[in-house]
Amino acid sequence: MKAELHDGILNLVLDSPRSGNAFGLEQARALEKHLSSKNIRLIILSARGRVFCSGGNLREYARLKTKAQGVEINRNIRRILDKFARLATPKIAAVGGDCFGGGIELISCCDFILAEPHVFFGMWQRRLGLSFGWGGYGRLQKRVSPSDLHNWLFTGAVKSAFAARSMGLVD
């Protein structure tokens, strides 16, 4: 994750396009480090590459030896994302590429989610039998109606930026 603080604006850029900007504990810790900067008036979260965020870093999870290690990683990421979500500083997710799974949990921390028209959002992790591990469900409930959210979760459907806007995910 790259970060630049200029005139009170903290620009955070997911910068691993070869991995689809997968988000894991390393990226969460980098996020947390940047949040401790003083004099932040606005945070803009964006990404480099065709995919905004492909979700959780499954390679990181595949290397684990026990389920308990995965639970611990999820706890740490959730703690950091909860801290990010609670910041009083306005946060904007500028989504210029497709966003899936944990990426949706990440942007759910932001106050405003802006997306380019060509972007798709997907809860594909549901198709793999995975669930929310980072607190995104609770944050999404504040943005998306219960019926739309439950339908999305049960089907694992991919939504266009326009459908995501009509659901309340995208501003």
Side-chain angles (χ1 to χ4, degrees):
M1 177 177 291
K2 290 188 177 179
E4 180 182 311
L5 180 61
H6 184 70
D7 290 334
I9 300 172
L10 177 61
N11 283 297
L12 298 172
V13 181
L14 299 174
D15 193 32
S16 299
R18 296 186 94 208
S19 73
N21 293 312
F23 195 82
L25 187 55
E26 178 184 333
Q27 292 76 19
R29 286 181 174 152
L31 172 65
E32 183 176 40
K33 180 184 126 204
H34 297 304
L35 298 180
S36 64
S37 300
K38 302 294 181 207
N39 304 319
I40 300 173
R41 295 181 297 115
L42 175 68
I43 298 172
I44 301 172
L45 176 65
S46 63
R48 191 168 71 84
R50 189 181 66 75
V51 176
F52 179 85
C53 184
S54 60
N57 187 340
L58 298 181
R59 286 189 178 143
E60 180 178 288
Y61 288 98
R63 289 191 296 262
L64 302 177
K65 306 246 186 287
T66 68
K67 183 178 177 180
Q69 290 173 315
V71 169
E72 186 61 25
I73 286 174
N74 282 349
R75 267 195 205 115
N76 282 304
I77 294 173
R78 180 181 184 144
R79 177 188 55 76
I80 293 166
L81 292 185
D82 284 346
K83 180 178 180 180
F84 182 42
R86 284 192 310 270
L87 280 179
T89 305
K91 299 168 292 295
I92 300 170
V95 184
D98 297 342
C99 187
F100 302 104
I104 294 171
E105 291 196 67
L106 173 61
I107 65 173
S108 74
C109 297
C110 294
D111 302 301
F112 302 96
I113 300 171
L114 308 176
E116 292 188 25
H118 67 273
V119 169
F120 287 94
F121 297 87
M123 292 289 194
W124 61 265
Q125 77 270 37
R126 302 299 295 164
R127 294 180 184 178
L128 299 174
L130 300 174
S131 184
F132 291 100
W134 305 341
Y137 182 74
R139 291 186 297 269
L140 287 170
Q141 286 180 309
K142 297 174 185 171
R143 299 185 70 92
V144 178
S145 75
S147 62
D148 283 340
L149 183 56
H150 292 151
N151 179 280
W152 195 19
L153 296 176
F154 289 126
T155 64
V158 173
K159 304 284 186 179
S160 70
F162 295 102
R165 184 168 189 253
S166 71
M167 290 172 39
L169 176 66
V170 170
D171 297 297

